[in-house]
Each structure stands twice: as structure tokens, then as C-alpha cells.
Amino acid sequence: MEKSKVRIALTKGRIEDKAVNLLEKIGYDVSELRNKGRRLILSIPNENIEVVLAKAADVITYVEHGVCDLGVVGKDTIMEHGGKFFEIADLGFGKCKFALAVKNGSKFYDGCGVKTVATKYPAVTRNFFESKGIDVDIVKIEGSVELAPLVGLSDGIVDIVETGTTLKENGLEVYDDVAYISARLIVNTVSMKLKQERISEIVRLIEENL
Ligand code: PRP
């Protein structure tokens, strides 16, 4: 009997290679994924698995809507975006952290004026400062957030720190840790019930190969 079809959404970019390596380790034929060109839908032969490549937030959208059964996405996007799905495994790669960073030597928590924080992640930033009971103004930035304090737009930033190189090369430093991040496996809530056997098999293989 043919295995029931499963569609997996992978986040394009930084964690894509590691996700493909994991699928290969499981024993899947990932040749289409390695030679994808500009194609966005790839298949894993003999497994009846289709893999789609999307931006992180879209991975969540596709899984939430049930057009993809499984997704691989960073905890950063999950924390910012939220949504209705099951987060079932920490894949252990794509490790980095959310941090509050400031210009070297600057004392963000000192003084009583309301500080301004620039970030690509306003929800994460709001939750972090709310949990600390600190009132801040948040400015949404689309990228290269490190620029904001350097040109005087903000007192600090909440951003992803991986190696710390971007902060260092721009005279910034971590002032406080916000949250640890890694790639996660997410599952559509209905798929979890309707394709339970197939999904459990894939999840078991993934967990055995982490
Ligand atoms: C991310 C993040 C930092 C950088 C951190 O940016 O926003 O800028 O990587 O990495 P590091 O600690 O290893 O230097 P990304 O490259 O995703 O692009 P962006 O600046 O456009 O957000």
C-alpha cells in the first residue's frame, strides 16, 4: 500500500542545509533538494513526501492552514508569530539567541526615562520588557537593526545574536539575554490526528537522528 502523502515546509536560507542534511541522515533521497535550482516544490522519491521551501513566517502560515503537515522553522519566528500548531521537537541546529544589545558601556537599565528599542521582533521585545515590568518605546526595523543605536534612533536593540560578530564590529555588546533559539519541528493539529501513523514515523526517524 502506498504511504499517505505528507508535505513538509522547510525554512529557506540559514537552516535549510541543516534540515536537508537531517532528512538525508534519516535515509531519504534528498537529491532533488540538493539540485533544486529555482524550484519551490521538491519531492522525496519513494516516500510520497513533498518538500516546499518558504520564508520562516510563511512556513508557519502553511502549517497552520494545513496545506503543509510538518514544518521546520526557528523558535525566533515561532515566538514572534505565534499560531495554532504543535511544536513537537527541538532539532538542535540553528542555535542562537535573542538579546538586548546596546552601545559598548551603555547602561540601558539605569535612569528613569522611557528607553527606545529598535527590533525586527516587536512582539518578542514587548513580551520581554512586559515580563520585566519595564516600559519601553518599540521601533520596528526591517533589517540591519544594529544601525539603529549607532545613528541615534534607539537606546538599544533586541535582535538575534549568533557569533556576536555583527555586534562587535559595530561597537555594540549584549546587555541582557532574552531567549535561546533553535530550529523546531512543527505539526498541523489536524494532520497530527488524521495522518498520525505517518507523522509519528517521520518524527521518530527525525528524533533518532538528531
Ligand atoms: C542576523 C541578525 C544579526 C546577525 C547576527 O541578521 O539580525 O544582524 O544575523 O549574527 P552574528 O551574531 O553571527 O553576527 P541577518 O544576517 O539575518 O540579516 P538582517 O540584518 O537583515 O536581519
Side-chain angles (χ1 to χ4, degrees):
M1 202 180 78
E2 200 189 30
K3 291 178 178 178
S4 59
K5 184 172 168 179
V6 168
R7 196 182 279 146
I8 306 176
L10 298 187
T11 301
K12 283 198 280 191
R14 283 181 190 227
I15 60 174
E16 180 181 331
D17 276 355
K18 288 190 172 132
V20 173
N21 290 344
L22 177 60
L23 294 174
E24 185 169 43
K25 211 171 156 199
I26 286 173
Y28 292 163
D29 176 353
V30 295
S31 48
E32 276 204 20
L33 284 156
R34 295 238 191 263
N35 304 296
K36 61 182 167 40
R38 300 287 296 168
R39 281 179 301 164
L40 299 171
I41 304 187
L42 298 314
S43 72
I44 296 180
N46 310 320
E47 294 292 338
N48 209 10
I49 294 176
E50 213 167 66
V51 176
V52 309
L53 297 168
K55 284 190 84 162
D58 298 336
V59 166
I60 292 182
T61 303
Y62 288 126
V63 171
E64 268 196 298
H65 284 257
V67 295
C68 291
D69 305 293
L70 291 159
V72 174
V73 64
K75 183 71 180 175
D76 50 331
T77 309
I78 294 175
M79 285 174 69
E80 181 64 23
H81 193 286
K84 194 168 161 280
F85 50 82
F86 296 127
E87 183 186 318
I88 52 167
D90 181 343
L91 298 175
F93 55 78
K95 281 187 182 162
C96 50
K97 66 179 178 181
F98 273 129
L100 167 64
V102 297
K103 285 206 270 188
N104 290 341
S106 153
K107 301 273 177 271
F108 188 94
Y109 290 150
D110 291 0
C112 51
V114 173
K115 300 277 176 30
T116 301
V117 181
T119 186
K120 272 205 299 197
Y121 302 88
V124 169
T125 303
R126 198 180 321 110
N127 292 338
F128 173 69
F129 285 105
E130 265 176 23
S131 76
K132 287 191 163 296
I134 297 172
D135 192 19
V136 291
D137 287 331
I138 296 169
V139 182
K140 171 90 194 291
I141 294 288
E142 295 300 328
S144 302
V145 181
E146 293 83 357
L147 187 58
L150 301 179
V151 295
L153 178 66
S154 71
D155 301 292
I157 60 173
V158 166
D159 198 20
I160 289 170
V161 179
E162 192 177 354
T163 61
T165 310
T166 312
L167 291 182
K168 200 164 171 228
E169 291 192 4
N170 290 290
L172 302 171
E173 64 187 6
V174 170
Y175 188 75
D176 203 354
D177 289 339
V178 174
Y180 283 86
I181 295 167
S182 57
R184 306 295 160 102
L185 183 66
I186 63 171
V187 186
N188 172 266
T189 52
V190 176
S191 304
M192 192 74 162
K193 290 194 191 94
L194 297 186
K195 300 184 184 176
Q196 199 209 359
E197 212 172 302
R198 192 75 221 282
I199 286 176
S200 306
E201 177 205 328
I202 297 170
V203 171
R204 180 181 56 78
L205 285 170
I206 286 176
E207 285 179 335
E208 282 171 7
N209 284 281
L210 287 179

